Amino acid sequence: MTHEVAYEYTGVLEEAIGAEQGLTQKEIFSFQPEVDAAHQTLMAWRERGDVGFLDLPFTSAKQIEDITAKAREKSRGMEACLVLGIGGSSLGGKALRDALKTPLYNEMGKENRKGYPKLYFAENIDPETFVALLGMLRPDKTLVVVISKSGGTAETMSQFLIAMDWLTKNLGNSTANHVVAITDPKKGTLREIADKEGFETLDIPRNVGGRFSVLTPVGLFPAAVIGIDVKSLLEGAAAMAKRCESADLKTNPAYLNAVIHYAYDAKKGKPLSVLMPYVDSLLSFADWYRQLYAESLGKRFDRDGQEVFRGPTPIRALGTTDQHSQLQLYMEGPFNKVITFIRTKTFRSDVKIPASLSYKTALDYLPGHSLGQLNGFEQMATTHALRKNHRPTLTLSIEKIDAFTLGQLFYFYELQVALQGVLYHVNPFDQPGVELGKKLTYGLMGRKGYEEYAKELDQAFE
Ligand code: PA5
């Protein structure tokens, strides 16, 4: 397969948007020494075995077959697969479902789903949604896939205990056949329970953190359950990895994107990064990107322990919908954003706008065009208008949405964010900021060892 994702950055250059808002080629490429050093750091971490996501595209054929075989076996005869997980343990799988099977997948009949089960991601612990979701599903026809790297996340584990109760009440002894656990190979409460209950399990490699784990069983297993070609997905990621092998900004689009965003934040007062695909099926991908960017780059301390409060803010938008919601702000608001479009050159289906009316109206310019054409023209027009307003834009052009393309996109952003984190001199792979909230919640829920946190909250709310 050859359809490469094309990266286009002319929309950030001085020639396109003027000297005040634009960057010069010289400015961009002057970051090469910093990039070389950051690359060395990243490679040293990899060498030490700390950065596993870089190796995932090269997952062996045997491992891929193992994941797909388990997915086939466990989902045989199932009407639905319910994934319990949150953050990095959910967003990648959901992005894959929506991109490759469309966001309407679960609404489709069995024939249109080619016999594969429906695939739900519970994610949030909104009791109303979760109760409604379980009410829609048949326990004897549902495979529950519980995903947690730490094996102890309160949201996921609560849903898991509820789902276990639901399964056991209905299925008794055969409950374990309906559960797959994806977690750390050795550590954590979920691992302990899975071993004790005899669940089928798949491992998340130790050195791959949640938001970088879409190309592990975290994303691959749910994808395989609904017949996504995971081999092709990994081939796409491998193609991007190959393209980004060298640290040279002239050939490595992920590093180039990192530099452009870094330069805009550090030197031009633009800390907001908008990702705006123009198809519904990539909106969940933009959600995945948002988490990756925010959790990896937003840090209080740098790698020397200095307090820096660093981090650009990701925003996800959808064309053309958000042209009628956000675009006014992007066009005329503060000059604090870099906007990346994902342009789809072909659509998997399209429809011509017909001349349905027998009389003349102001709509006569529409018939003869297709919705896809209108979508493409709107994106072109918006890009141009933003340029005229001196707003920096970048474009990722994709030939078509398929597993190979998605593999490229996932790897592209993971690598960009990892390097960008090193440029910011923070650790892109930790998330200490979410720990305090977790501990306070444990305190409130009466977890042993967290009494201090409960007391702290009692005092605060008195
Ligand atoms: O990227 C991350 O590390 C987080 O978003 C985690 O994925 C999220 O908090 C869920 O954690 P876990 O998989 O341990 O349940």
Side-chain angles (χ1 to χ4, degrees):
M1 255 173 278
T2 52
H3 46 284
E4 265 194 356
V5 172
Y7 177 73
E8 213 233 301
Y9 68 100
T10 50
V12 303
L13 295 177
E14 205 181 275
E15 300 88 283
I17 56 171
E20 209 174 317
Q21 306 301 332
L23 298 168
T24 63
Q25 298 271 11
K26 198 166 161 224
E27 234 173 318
I28 295 171
F29 289 95
S30 71
F31 281 94
Q32 188 64 59
E34 265 185 74
V35 168
D36 289 339
H39 179 72
Q40 292 301 326
T41 303
L42 205 54
M43 292 305 119
W45 291 348
R46 179 189 209 173
E47 202 66 23
R48 240 169 38 195
D50 291 344
V51 184
F53 85 88
L54 293 165
D55 300 316
L56 296 173
F58 311 104
T59 301
S60 71
K62 181 172 172 322
Q63 277 172 295
I64 299 174
E65 179 45 35
D66 187 42
I67 294 167
T68 44
K70 279 183 181 166
R72 252 194 323 267
E73 189 200 315
K74 297 303 295 183
S75 61
R76 195 168 298 130
M78 299 291 171
E79 280 171 4
C81 172
L82 170 62
V83 176
L84 308 177
I86 199 160
S89 287
S90 172
L91 290 163
K94 196 172 173 196
L96 281 167
R97 180 199 65 189
D98 289 354
L100 301 175
K101 296 281 177 166
T102 87
L104 293 176
Y105 178 71
N106 288 336
E107 267 74 64
M108 292 175 180
K110 195 170 175 185
E111 205 172 301
N112 284 335
R113 285 186 276 115
K114 302 204 172 91
Y116 292 111
K118 295 179 179 184
L119 179 61
Y120 294 97
F121 293 86
E123 269 187 315
N124 200 9
I125 45 163
D126 178 339
E128 296 179 5
T129 317
F130 197 58
V131 168
L133 184 54
L134 288 187
M136 277 162 50
L137 302 175
R138 278 180 56 180
D140 60 324
K141 292 280 179 194
T142 301
L143 175 68
V144 173
V145 178
V146 53
I147 308 181
S148 176
K149 172 85 193 291
S150 61
T153 302
E155 290 93 330
T156 305
M157 290 304 113
S158 305
Q159 289 174 336
F160 165 67
L161 293 175
I162 297 166
M164 274 297 281
D165 183 58
W166 175 71
L167 288 175
T168 314
K169 278 187 178 137
N170 288 284
L171 308 176
N173 287 343
S174 53
T175 292
N177 298 335
H178 286 250
V179 183
V180 172
I182 302 178
T183 188
D184 184 274
K186 296 223 151 41
K187 279 196 325 197
T189 310
L190 179 58
R191 168 56 62 183
E192 275 170 37
I193 298 170
D195 291 345
K196 201 162 170 171
E197 299 282 338
F199 298 156
E200 182 67 78
T201 61
L202 289 108
D203 296 345
I204 308 173
R206 273 271 161 84
N207 57 3
V208 180
R211 55 193 177 275
F212 290 86
S213 69
V214 58
L215 302 178
T216 71
V218 170
L220 301 184
F221 184 84
V225 163
I226 56 170
I228 286 172
D229 181 355
V230 296
K231 183 168 170 280
S232 181
L233 181 74
L234 290 168
E235 280 168 1
M240 185 56 82
K242 185 119 202 48
R243 207 168 143 194
C244 297
E245 228 164 33
S246 144
D248 189 345
L249 286 172
K250 292 200 190 74
T251 56
N252 185 328
Y255 282 8
L256 185 56
N257 205 34
V259 159
I260 288 172
H261 283 86
Y262 176 68
Y264 265 129
D265 183 18
K267 307 232 187 281
K268 295 254 182 193
K270 298 190 200 309
L272 306 185
S273 165
V274 180
L275 184 62
M276 189 164 178
Y278 263 66
V279 283
D280 294 341
S281 59
L282 289 178
L283 184 58
S284 297
F285 177 81
D287 277 332
W288 169 86
Y289 150 82
R290 187 173 60 153
Q291 188 232 1
L292 177 75
Y293 207 73
E295 233 173 48
S296 303
L297 302 179
K299 301 288 153 83
R300 176 173 173 183
F301 295 104
D302 72 8
R303 297 206 306 277
D304 298 324
Q306 299 294 320
E307 202 168 57
V308 288
F309 297 109
R310 212 154 266 169
T313 301
I315 296 168
R316 67 106 158 103
L318 177 68
T320 60
T321 307
D322 283 324
Q323 288 183 197
H324 304 267
S325 159
Q326 302 294 297
L327 191 62
Q328 169 62 31
L329 173 70
Y330 301 172
M331 286 285 181
E332 296 186 352
F335 287 85
N336 56 3
K337 297 172 199 66
V338 185
I339 300 153
T340 304
F341 295 111
I342 304 186
R343 184 168 82 94
T344 322
K345 291 194 198 162
T346 56
F347 296 91
R348 286 167 288 188
S349 55
D350 201 354
V351 55
K352 267 234 151 75
I353 305 165
S356 332
L357 307 171
S358 56
Y359 46 89
K360 283 200 174 307
T361 73
L363 304 181
D364 286 346
Y365 71 97
L366 290 172
H369 295 293
S370 72
L371 275 190
Q373 232 173 3
L374 178 61
N375 179 303
F377 288 159
E378 294 222 21
Q379 199 245 312
M380 273 169 73
T382 304
T383 311
H384 187 67
L386 282 164
R387 274 191 195 204
K388 282 185 81 169
N389 279 333
H390 312 286
R391 311 290 165 154
T393 57
L394 295 153
T395 307
L396 288 167
S397 290
I398 58 184
E399 287 297 331
K400 54 182 171 183
I401 300 174
D402 63 6
F404 187 78
T405 298
L406 259 283
Q408 293 178 71
L409 288 175
F410 280 124
Y411 192 86
F412 172 83
Y413 274 113
E414 286 176 348
L415 187 63
Q416 176 207 321
V417 167
L419 188 96
Q420 209 170 320
V422 185
L423 290 175
Y424 278 111
H425 200 55
V426 297
N427 178 355
F429 304 114
D430 67 2
Q431 54 286 325
V434 292
E435 289 307 314
L436 179 60
K438 279 188 187 175
K439 287 175 183 155
L440 290 164
T441 307
Y442 291 152
L444 286 175
M445 295 291 279
R447 186 170 174 180
K448 214 163 158 249
Y450 293 85
E451 296 78 3
E452 291 252 321
Y453 294 98
K455 244 190 251 159
E456 185 184 325
L457 274 168
D458 275 349
Q459 281 164 6
F461 283 96
E462 213 163 50

